[in-house]
Amino acid sequence: MNISIDYERCIRCGRCAKVCPSLVFGQHKQSADMQVVAPENCIVCGHCVAACPVSAVAHTDFPAEKVHPVDRTQLPTPEQLLLLCKARRSNRALSRKPVPQEYVDRILEAAHAAPTASNLQQVGYTVLTDPADLRFVVEYTLGFCRRMLRLLEMPVLGWVIRLFMKGAGRYRTTIHRLLNEYEQHGHDRILRGATTLIFIHTPTHSRFGEIDSQLAYQNGSLMAEALGVSQIYTGFVLTACKADKKKRLARHFDIDGTIRAGMALGIPEFLFPNRIDKKPIDVIEK
């Protein structure tokens, strides 16, 4: 990796030093020449190249073909973005139509554009579309539900769990309903009949893997909403994964790492014509 400054182009504005998170650049005083003082600190985030208004920063990891001007007139307005956020819902009324591959690709591209801690970019994605694979995920999760239900209904242990685990009684009712719907009626209440499932994962020992994955999920979720694709957070699947010390689901799909988030995707039967206000925002001002 090599970082240099073209002094014939440089206008000494100091932007590269101001945006660099790792103190790679230094400027002795305002309007003085910029200096590359600690290139070994670079985390390859590209802030310096992106911020330079005259393309004076040369970074070997960001050749010209990787640098693109931003036409900010093409960005959504604040009102449009806020409407997208407020309109986003987990629509569980899914059709059997497959999600087009180009839609999946755009959702993944948006997710991949999310920031990561120290710019490590260790977030990986596994996409499942085979009905047999999706059924395996559902049955794996329901297997966990059955084990959890047995614990909750044990005379002594169940009472202790319900005493110390907030909402355990409600979960017991929910699990009964999930199992009954699947076993008695064949209804999938885990993935809700989604035709595509995206697992988001990071290396097991990644310190910020959970946060990085959730940021990626949010980006992908908003892109799905913009495409008219329903996205459902797979909470029961993730709960089963976290409880499974042997990581059987990850191993089954050859995922090297820990599954941190899951997005079930499907083409909805209809789009919601209305949006609903949430509870009043809770803000503490100091």
Side-chain angles (χ1 to χ4, degrees):
M1 178 184 65
N2 183 268
I3 307 170
S4 61
I5 296 174
D6 184 339
Y7 290 108
E8 291 187 1
R9 291 187 176 209
C10 181
I11 59 175
R12 284 76 177 170
C13 64
R15 288 187 181 185
C16 53
K18 291 175 182 177
V19 300
C20 179
S22 303
L23 303 178
V24 170
F25 301 90
Q27 189 177 30
H28 177 62
K29 61 180 179 179
Q30 189 173 359
S31 300
D33 284 349
M34 298 303 305
Q35 302 293 329
V36 181
V37 297
E40 68 277 7
N41 292 350
C42 182
I43 62 171
V44 199
C45 66
H47 281 0
C48 56
V49 177
C52 184
V54 292
S55 302
V57 180
H59 195 303
T60 51
D61 282 83
F62 303 103
E65 62 269 19
K66 283 191 172 185
V67 182
H68 312 281
V70 176
D71 182 356
R72 294 195 172 273
T73 65
Q74 298 300 308
L75 298 180
T77 66
E79 292 76 17
Q80 289 171 331
L81 180 57
L82 185 59
L83 180 59
L84 177 65
C85 292
K86 289 184 174 182
R88 184 223 167 278
R89 300 192 76 83
S90 298
N91 187 346
R92 294 173 174 81
L94 302 181
S95 69
R96 298 307 302 163
K97 297 177 183 177
V99 179
Q101 184 60 50
E102 58 267 30
Y103 285 14
V104 176
D105 291 341
R106 294 184 77 175
I107 291 167
L108 291 172
E109 185 178 2
H112 185 59
T116 58
S118 299
N119 193 45
L120 290 176
Q121 300 185 50
Q122 294 179 321
V123 181
Y125 305 88
T126 296
V127 182
L128 306 178
T129 57
D130 188 320
D133 288 337
L134 299 175
R135 186 166 55 253
F136 180 89
V137 173
V138 171
E139 294 181 350
Y140 166 86
T141 306
L142 290 175
F144 161 76
C145 289
R146 291 186 188 93
R147 293 190 295 275
M148 190 64 189
L149 188 60
R150 284 197 293 269
L151 290 176
L152 288 171
E153 294 187 338
M154 291 178 67
V156 177
L157 183 58
W159 179 83
V160 173
I161 293 174
R162 292 193 298 274
L163 180 64
F164 290 99
M165 181 178 172
K166 186 177 180 180
R170 178 171 58 85
Y171 288 129
R172 182 172 61 170
T173 300
T174 299
I175 291 173
H176 269 297
R177 185 168 64 249
L178 291 174
L179 293 171
N180 182 67
E181 284 287 306
Y182 189 77
E183 295 169 352
Q184 302 298 321
H185 308 288
H187 297 159
D188 164 24
R189 298 301 186 218
I190 301 298
L191 300 182
R192 300 284 177 161
T195 57
T196 298
L197 175 61
I198 299 175
F199 281 133
I200 304 175
H201 41 85
T202 61
T204 298
H205 300 295
S206 174
R207 182 179 178 187
F208 298 103
E210 183 79 29
I211 297 171
D212 289 346
S213 297
Q214 301 307 324
L215 289 172
Y217 181 96
Q218 182 68 1
N219 265 28
S221 176
L222 290 175
M223 174 56 76
E225 187 69 30
L227 292 167
V229 176
S230 183
Q231 71 284 185
I232 301 169
Y233 193 83
T234 56
F236 282 106
V237 181
L238 295 176
T239 300
C241 288
K242 288 180 179 180
D244 185 359
K245 303 304 180 183
K246 295 182 178 180
K247 297 185 177 181
R248 286 171 292 178
L249 192 65
R251 288 192 292 108
H252 181 84
F253 293 113
D254 295 321
I255 294 173
D256 184 16
T258 298
I259 297 172
R260 311 284 190 178
M263 183 186 301
L265 301 172
I267 300 299
E269 293 181 358
F270 55 84
L271 298 176
F272 285 90
N274 306 302
R275 64 176 181 84
I276 307 298
D277 287 339
K278 290 185 174 290
K279 296 177 182 179
I281 189 170
D282 185 8
V283 178
I284 299 175
E285 297 184 359
K286 299 290 187 180

